[in-house]
Amino acid sequence: MSKECTGEGTKLWGGRFSQPTDKFVEEFTASIDFDKRLYHQDIRGSIAHARMLGKQGIIPIADVEQIVHGLQEILRQIEEGKFDFSVSLEDIHMNIEARLSARIGEAGKRLHTGRSRNDQVALDIRLYLRDELVEISAYLDLLIDSLLFQAEKNLDVIMPGYTHLQTAQPILFAHHMLAYVEMFTRDKGRMEDCLRRMNVLPLGAGALAGTTFPIDREHVAELLDFPEVTRNSLDSVSDRDFALEFMGGSSILMMHLSRFSEELILWSTSEFKFIDLSDSFCTGSSIMPQKKNPDVPELVRGKTGRVYGNLMALLTVMKSLPLAYNKDMQEDKEPLFDTIDTVKGSLKIFADMIREMKVNAATMRSAAGKGFSTATDVADYLVRQGMPFRDAHEVVGKSVAYCLSHGKDLPELTMEEWKGFSAMIGEDIYDSITLEASVNARRATGGTALERVKAEIERVKSGR
C-alpha cells in the first residue's frame, strides 16, 4: 500500500513545520506500539463525536454517514488483522484518522472538528478502563466464588490460627477463607468506586479551553453511556486521577493476592502439608525429580512488585506537571495497560487454582491441637468461675510453663495437676478445651464458631 493511500509520511499537524521530524525522534515519541489496543474505543468515540457534529449542523449529515461507514470498515480491518499501523503517524488516533481521510477524502478531514487529541485520548482511556473494570469485577466474583466453594466444602475442618506465625487459637478453615472473601469484596468495592468517579465524559474540552463550535456534550455522553460530563476543560485533559485510583486499588488487590500466595506456599510445604495444589498449577525441577513447585502463587507474589512500580511510575510522571496536557502524560498508558493485564491474569489463575485446591483436614486438625492453642480457653474458663482475667492469664501461663517442662499439653494434665494451679478448676475443664469447644465458643458476629461461619457464608451469597 502506498504512503499516499495510507497517509503515511504526512503529519496531520505538520502545516507549521518546515523540516521533517527526525527519524529517531519519530520513533522515540510514537506510542502506536502500545496504544493501538485503544482502537475500538477510539472508533466508538469518533462515531459518537461525528454524529453529534451532524446533529448540531456543524458538518453535513452526508459527511457523517461517510465517516461512520468508513470508521466501521476500519474497525473490521483492524479486527481481521488487515490494518498496517504506522510509526510515522505516532498513535492510534492519527493512524485511524489518516486512514479514514485516505479512504473517504474530504469528509474524513472534518471528523476532528471541535476536538483535540488531548480530549480524545482522555476519552479513549476512560472508555478502555471502564470496559476493563467490568471484566476485573467479574474475575473478582469468580475468585470469591472459589473461596466460598472451599469454605462450604470444608466447613467443619479445624486448623491452627496464627499470630506472628506462631500457633494462637484454633479456627475453622472456612473462617480463614472468608477472611479473604472480605478482602476481595473490599477490592471489588474499590473498583466500583473508581468506575463511578471515572465515568465522566471529557470530550468537548478541546486542547484545554473548550471549543468555539456549538457542540452538545450531553448528547455525546448519552451516546457513550456516560452519566455526566466533566465541568472544567483544563482538568478534563490533564486529569489522570482515575488511572492512579485504579492502580492504587490494584496495588491493594495484589497485596491481598500476595499475602494469600505466601500462605499457600507455606501450606503446601512438606513441613505444613495443609493443602495440595493441583499439578496443573505447579511445575517441577530440572534437577530434583521429587520437586513440585508452587510457581503460580510465587509468580503472583512477584508480580505484585511490578503493579506497585506501575503506580509509582505514574505518580512520578504526574507529580510536577503544570496544567494542562504535557507529552509526559503519554507515559500513562504502558503502566496502566500492564497493571490491567497483570491483575486480570492473576485473578483468573487464582480463581481456578483455589477451586481445585485439596485440603488435608487431618493434618490441619493435628496442627491445631499443638502449641497450647486452647490456653486462652482455660483463661476464659477461670474468668467464668469468677477469677479476674489478669489473674487467670497468670495461672494459665504457669500451667503452660509446667507443661513445657514436663513434656505435656494442656489436655493431658491430670485433675490433681490442674488443682495445683487453681482450686476453681473442675472436671468440666476438659470439655472446655477441646478444639470444637474452642472454635464454637466464639459465636459473636465475625467469630469462628460453626454457626457463625455458616451464617456468614449465606450472607455473602445472598448479597451477591
Side-chain angles (χ1 to χ4, degrees), residues 141-422:
D141 280 336
L142 288 175
L143 178 52
I144 291 170
D145 285 343
S146 293
L147 290 164
L148 291 173
F149 170 79
Q150 287 290 356
E152 290 186 293
K153 184 179 178 181
N154 301 282
L155 197 53
D156 60 349
V157 174
I158 297 176
M159 68 175 292
Y162 298 94
T163 63
H164 309 278
L165 207 55
Q166 304 294 314
T167 300
Q169 294 173 323
I171 61 172
L172 290 179
F173 172 77
H175 190 58
H176 200 112
M177 293 298 98
L178 289 175
Y180 284 105
V181 169
E182 291 295 303
M183 294 182 207
F184 295 124
T185 299
R186 291 195 297 271
D187 290 323
K188 186 177 179 186
R190 274 183 279 271
M191 295 301 169
E192 290 170 348
D193 287 346
C194 176
L195 178 58
R196 177 174 56 82
R197 269 184 288 277
M198 68 165 287
N199 201 19
V200 184
L201 176 82
L203 198 67
L208 77 161
T211 178
T212 59
F213 293 97
I215 61 173
D216 185 345
R217 297 187 67 205
E218 286 72 18
H219 180 64
V220 178
E222 184 179 352
L223 292 175
L224 295 175
D225 299 318
F226 284 101
E228 53 186 313
V229 301
T230 55
R231 311 306 301 184
N232 183 282
S233 58
L234 283 167
D235 182 59
S236 299
V237 297
S238 61
D239 170 35
R240 292 298 183 270
D241 288 3
F242 61 91
L244 289 165
E245 185 174 357
F246 164 73
M247 293 162 77
S250 294
S251 295
I252 296 173
L253 191 164
M254 290 298 296
M255 177 268 290
H256 291 153
L257 285 175
S258 186
R259 294 182 72 181
F260 201 0
S261 293
E262 177 69 11
E263 293 198 310
L264 295 175
I265 292 163
L266 285 171
W267 292 353
S268 64
T269 62
S270 58
E271 289 75 18
F272 274 82
K273 298 181 183 176
F274 283 3
I275 61 167
D276 289 314
L277 296 175
S278 168
D279 288 356
S280 302
F281 299 92
C282 299
T283 64
S285 165
S286 63
I287 187 173
M288 294 170 285
Q290 84 282 10
K291 292 295 294 297
K292 179 179 174 180
N293 299 324
D295 278 14
V296 167
E298 287 178 348
L299 191 55
V300 169
R301 186 177 59 182
K303 285 181 178 291
T304 301
R306 72 189 289 158
V307 173
Y308 291 178
N310 289 337
L311 171 61
M312 292 309 300
L314 187 53
L315 282 169
T316 304
V317 166
M318 298 299 298
K319 74 176 181 67
S320 298
L321 295 186
L323 297 179
Y325 184 83
N326 300 270
K327 188 67 171 179
D328 315 48
M329 293 168 68
Q330 181 172 293
E331 292 295 304
D332 62 351
K333 296 172 194 64
E334 288 179 286
L336 176 62
F337 295 159
D338 183 72
T339 298
I340 290 169
D341 295 343
T342 301
V343 167
K344 286 171 62 177
S346 298
L347 286 173
K348 181 182 186 304
I349 203 165
F350 237 83
D352 294 340
M353 180 178 64
I354 294 303
R355 183 168 287 271
E356 293 190 29
M357 179 179 69
K358 298 293 188 294
V359 174
N360 299 324
T363 306
M364 284 190 176
R365 181 182 179 85
S366 176
K370 299 175 182 177
F372 308 100
S373 64
T374 57
T376 305
D377 298 285
V378 179
D380 291 345
Y381 169 90
L382 289 170
V383 168
R384 286 192 292 271
Q385 306 307 310
M387 184 181 292
F389 179 78
R390 280 299 161 207
D391 292 341
H393 188 285
E394 183 176 359
V395 168
V396 179
K398 290 178 178 178
S399 69
V400 169
Y402 175 87
C403 287
L404 288 169
S405 65
H406 289 77
K408 288 188 172 186
D409 205 341
L410 292 173
E412 298 171 334
L413 293 176
T414 66
M415 183 50 55
E416 182 181 356
E417 288 172 315
W418 276 122
K419 289 291 188 182
F421 297 112
S422 173

